[in-house]
Amino acid sequence: VPLKVEGAYASAKAALAAAKERNPKSPRLALEEARLEITQGNTEEGRKLVDEAIRLKSNYGEAIFVLAQLDIDAGNIAGAIASLEQAKLLNPDDAGLLFRLGLLKYNEEDYEGAALSLERAVELVSDYANARYFLGLTQYHLGQIPAALAQFETVQSTNPDNEEVKNIIANLKNGRSPLGDPEKTPESPPIEE
């Protein structure tokens, strides 16, 4: 369907409808139908179907994550954070989820909340460079300069050719903000993993 193959959407809808007839209480089928609608740009219908999946299984982490993504796309960051907090309760050891939650909180300037999520992410995956990068920025904003420097030095050890990380380390060592003045936060994770 995402490749826009002619007839794929109609075939997928028919297959999902047939499967739902056989298993009408399946949260997985509701979520798959939601994803199908979302790929077609039918986000409102997709949201209704995600809500249906969550009604069928209130602790359905995958559906909660899709709901958070819909909230992010709609600019409802508070809703996305609430959804990811709920998903974190269900999946406390999901480093990727913790990173996304920490990044959202960082962007909302909730540095203490961001630090909690990002610290847990790097506890789970010690070489998670992007989580360490944003943890370093978070620690800088919390006034924890030596800890921030340590995070960036760890990132540099696994990404020795990254010029941005080298500049951040130099800035911190020279008493400047990590990203220079005025501070400019990257829009996406800077480290390729």
Side-chain angles (χ1 to χ4, degrees), residues 2 48 55 69 167:
K48 288 177 190 172
R55 268 194 315 280
Q69 188 60 54
N167 290 335

Side-chain angles (χ1 to χ4, degrees), residues 109-188:
E109 299 180 6
D110 174 5
Y111 300 122
E112 289 178 8
L116 289 173
S117 291
L118 295 167
E119 285 168 355
R120 180 68 180 137
V122 299
E123 278 177 25
L124 293 167
V125 181
S126 63
D127 62 347
Y128 198 157
N130 284 314
R132 282 193 182 277
Y133 178 97
F134 281 97
L135 178 56
L137 291 178
T138 299
Q139 289 170 326
Y140 170 79
H141 286 291
L142 292 171
Q144 302 167 358
I145 309 306
L149 182 58
Q151 293 301 330
F152 288 109
E153 288 173 339
T154 301
V155 171
Q156 185 182 38
S157 72
T158 57
N159 298 275
D161 298 327
N162 188 300
E163 289 300 317
E164 183 177 348
V165 173
K166 287 178 187 177
N167 290 335
I168 289 171
I169 291 170
N171 285 341
L172 289 171
K173 285 181 175 179
N174 290 307
R176 294 190 302 264
S177 69
L179 300 174
D181 294 314
E183 179 105 359
K184 185 176 181 179
T185 301
E187 294 193 16
S188 62

Side-chain angles (χ1 to χ4, degrees), residues 37-121:
E37 293 301 330
I38 292 165
T39 62
Q40 289 296 110
N42 304 329
T43 54
E44 284 308 310
E45 182 62 21
R47 182 178 290 276
K48 288 177 190 172
L49 290 161
V50 170
D51 288 341
E52 178 185 330
I54 293 171
R55 268 194 315 280
L56 291 167
K57 183 178 179 187
S58 62
N59 65 346
Y60 194 8
E62 201 173 338
I64 294 167
F65 186 76
V66 171
L67 185 61
Q69 188 60 54
L70 287 171
D71 284 335
I72 291 168
D73 293 345
N76 179 8
I77 303 305
I81 289 173
S83 293
L84 289 177
E85 287 284 7
Q86 184 180 3
K88 182 179 84 170
L89 293 174
L90 303 171
N91 304 296
D93 295 334
D94 184 332
L97 185 146
L98 290 161
F99 169 69
R100 288 179 189 94
L101 179 58
L103 183 58
L104 283 175
K105 288 184 174 194
Y106 175 85
N107 287 329
E108 291 296 297
E109 299 180 6
D110 174 5
Y111 300 122
E112 289 178 8
L116 289 173
S117 291
L118 295 167
E119 285 168 355
R120 180 68 180 137

